[in-house]
Amino acid sequence: MRRPIIAGNWKMNKTPSEAVELVKALIPLVKDAEAEVVVCPPYISIAAVAELIKDTNIELGAQNVYFEKSGAYTGEVSIDMLKEAGVRYIIIGHSERRQYFNETDENVNKKAKAILAAGLRPIICIGETLDQREKGITNDFVSMQTKLALNGIEEAELENVVIAYEPIWAIGTGKTATALEANETISAVRNAVREIYGEEGADKIRIQYGGSMNPKNASELMAQSEIDGGLIGGASLKGEDFSKVVKF
Ligand code: 13P
């Protein structure tokens, strides 16, 4: 059985004091949640959020990382730094990073391997553009992204891997994939995992949906057989909304 995982990706929102305020509001709202709850604030608020959530059921995530251990990489943050700060999950390959910051499949794979080697958990984002969906190549495209991201990762590590399927046309647009569309694509992603690792690997890996997921549509999405969680943008910025998604 895969435990549902709902993660809030705050993106470039919330100053440190606002981050503290949001987490303080969230703690009592999600304390009896059955799903695993993760918040991913901007780097600058990670330490403050870590302190607030240390005796709670909320896990800490980061929105990016660099794969090298240390050195002359101005502006970057390492896995060990995040680990010491209390981070457990790291989002990699988000479509916004692929689009604006030249994140490649190769980098995503390097990051995934380095994160797992450090004992942390990657949330690997994949997803098609509207053009790709209209051309009917969604399943091929997301399957390829999945295989490239997982290249060289052992089957035993898959229980620590989360994939977030986020159709780019559904991010921040208010357009959600229908629950059936999301389930069908996620099923194709799981098939890609099955092709490499077999049934056990495919059963182990958790796959989230992301893209305008909110308190209204969460329960229908989460009721789908292949959907193991959500990666939430806009609706994770208000404690009340996020807690409703968490409790779908
Ligand atoms: P929205 O929920 O704002 O559409 O963002 C989804 C997302 O990109 C989460 O990573």
Side-chain angles (χ1 to χ4, degrees), residues 180-201:
L180 287 179
E181 269 171 344
N183 198 53
E184 192 208 310
T185 310
I186 289 178
S187 168
V189 174
R190 203 179 298 285
N191 269 332
V193 177
R194 192 175 285 117
E195 276 177 37
I196 311 173
Y197 299 97
E199 203 58 45
E200 275 190 36

Side-chain angles (χ1 to χ4, degrees), residues 7-11 91 94-96 125 164 166-168 170-175 209-214 230-237:
N9 173 11
W10 297 2
K11 309 191 180 183
I91 298 171
H94 193 282
S95 60
E96 287 147 18
C125 301
E166 301 201 300
I168 294 171
I171 296 178
T173 57
K175 279 190 208 162
Y209 169 78
S212 299
M213 193 162 160
N214 60 43
L231 186 56
I232 321 300
S236 72
L237 299 175

Side-chain angles (χ1 to χ4, degrees), residues 17-159:
S17 63
E18 289 167 347
V20 165
E21 209 177 306
L22 173 54
V23 169
K24 279 188 179 160
L26 196 60
I27 290 170
L29 293 173
V30 301
K31 70 174 188 332
D32 48 3
E34 279 169 31
E36 194 170 354
V37 185
V38 184
V39 292
C40 306
Y43 285 145
I44 193 162
S45 299
I46 279 179
V49 171
E51 183 59 29
L52 286 172
I53 64 176
K54 67 174 187 278
D55 298 318
T56 74
N57 60 327
I58 302 177
E59 301 270 6
L60 189 55
Q63 298 175 21
N64 184 32
V65 75
Y66 194 52
F67 52 78
E68 292 290 355
K69 275 294 234 195
S70 64
Y73 303 103
T74 301
E76 293 300 310
V77 167
S78 76
I79 294 165
D80 288 346
M81 294 172 195
L82 294 177
K83 187 175 179 178
E84 191 179 309
V87 164
R88 183 149 199 231
Y89 287 91
I90 306 177
I91 298 171
I92 54 175
H94 193 282
S95 60
E96 287 147 18
R97 295 215 60 85
R98 294 180 191 256
Q99 183 182 352
Y100 306 128
F101 304 101
N102 305 318
E103 185 89 296
T104 62
D105 287 317
E106 194 185 342
N107 274 7
V108 171
N109 176 245
K110 284 184 183 165
K111 291 178 181 189
K113 286 195 279 200
I115 290 166
L116 289 165
L120 301 186
R121 300 176 165 189
I123 298 177
I124 302 169
C125 301
I126 57 168
E128 82 287 2
T129 61
L130 186 56
D131 185 53
Q132 288 165 329
R133 177 155 287 263
E134 284 170 350
K135 289 197 168 107
I137 58 171
T138 295
N139 290 358
D140 288 343
F141 183 74
V142 296
S143 297
M144 184 57 74
Q145 281 184 317
T146 302
K147 290 179 184 177
L148 291 171
L150 295 178
N151 188 25
I153 290 172
E154 304 288 325
E155 195 226 283
E157 297 177 293
L158 293 184
E159 63 190 10

